[in-house]
């Protein structure tokens, strides 16, 4: 039986899960976000209590997928730090949604150890909703999935980035 990674799925969810669908990968991204998008290897390893080889493997995958970049600490330095790219920062709504979902539907009795709050007023940051191109909040009944024929590829133009 072929592995899930060897199956060529034409599904954007499957492709995202292939890159992000690992516990450690999401925790690394979350940790980078909590520290302003920048972190050195050893503090990241200690904070996550992750083995060096797993952290190295996941960071290499994130760098390869351009979610994180590896940058010298200072010019000419051999030591590196890891920084979220724009592509990495665009995962913020997903991480925030997952955090808020976990708080709302908490699966254990422990209280969360952190919260996302607005710096200005210290109020919780709300989970982004699903909106249409015109800004309307959409409900499941307001959406449909359409096959992308050559004529319908115009729908994808909303996702094109300036990177």
């Amino acid at each position: 039986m072929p592995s899930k990674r060897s199956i060529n799925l034409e599904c954007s969810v499957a492709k995202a899960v292939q890159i992000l669908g690992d516990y450690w990968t999401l925790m690394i991204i979350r940790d980078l976000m909590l520290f302003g998008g920048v972190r050195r290897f050893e503090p990241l390893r200690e904070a996550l209590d992750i083995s060096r080889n797993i952290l190295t493997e996941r960071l290499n995958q994130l760098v390869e997928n351009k979610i994180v970049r590896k940058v010298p600490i200072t010019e000419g330095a051999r030591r590196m730090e890891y920084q979220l790219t724009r592509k990495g920062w665009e995962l913020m709504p997903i991480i925030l949604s997952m955090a808020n979902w976990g708080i709302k539907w908490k699966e254990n009795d422990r209280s969360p150890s952190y919260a996302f709050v607005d710096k200005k007023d210290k109020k919780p940051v709300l989970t982004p909703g699903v909106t249409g191109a015109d800004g309307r909040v959409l409900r499941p009944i307001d959406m449909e999935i359409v096959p992308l024929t050559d004529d319908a590829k115009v729908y994808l133009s909303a996702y094109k980035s300036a990177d």
Side-chain angles (χ1 to χ4, degrees):
M1 183 169 158
S3 73
K4 289 178 183 156
R5 292 186 184 268
S6 68
I7 297 171
N8 182 14
L9 297 175
E10 291 300 320
C11 171
S12 54
V13 173
K15 290 176 183 179
V17 168
Q18 192 171 17
I19 295 168
L20 303 170
D22 171 80
Y23 173 83
W24 287 118
T25 300
L26 290 171
M27 293 300 95
I28 291 165
I29 293 167
R30 181 221 52 193
D31 202 76
L32 287 169
M33 286 179 179
L34 290 174
F35 287 88
V38 180
R39 204 81 201 263
R40 294 181 186 176
F41 184 91
E42 201 55 35
L44 187 58
R45 189 194 68 73
E46 290 172 2
L48 294 170
D49 194 24
I50 183 175
S51 71
R52 282 181 168 74
N53 63 324
I54 291 175
L55 179 57
T56 298
E57 180 184 313
R58 298 312 187 278
L59 284 169
N60 287 340
Q61 289 171 353
L62 289 167
V63 168
E64 182 180 314
N65 286 294
K66 296 181 170 83
I67 294 167
V68 170
R69 73 176 136 259
K70 197 172 173 179
V71 179
I73 293 169
T74 59
E75 190 173 324
R78 291 180 61 208
R79 298 186 95 173
M80 304 297 242
E81 62 187 10
Y82 295 87
Q83 297 178 352
L84 284 173
T85 62
R86 178 178 170 198
K87 184 177 180 180
W89 275 113
E90 286 188 8
L91 292 167
M92 176 63 93
I94 296 166
I95 299 295
L96 178 60
S97 293
M98 291 174 72
N100 287 344
W101 181 87
I103 290 166
K104 179 177 180 179
W105 299 99
K106 65 181 177 179
E107 298 295 324
N108 60 42
D109 294 331
R110 295 187 318 203
S111 295
S113 57
Y114 64 88
F116 291 89
V117 297
D118 186 328
K119 279 184 175 182
K120 180 180 170 187
D121 59 15
K122 301 296 185 214
K123 291 187 179 174
V125 177
L126 301 177
T127 300
V130 178
T131 58
D134 62 0
R136 286 179 303 119
V137 175
L138 301 177
R139 301 166 298 156
I141 197 166
D142 299 321
M143 295 178 275
E144 66 179 325
I145 297 173
V146 297
L148 286 180
T149 62
D150 286 337
D151 293 339
K153 299 244 185 217
V154 70
Y155 294 127
L156 296 178
S157 64
Y159 300 104
K160 300 297 179 196
S161 70
D163 267 356

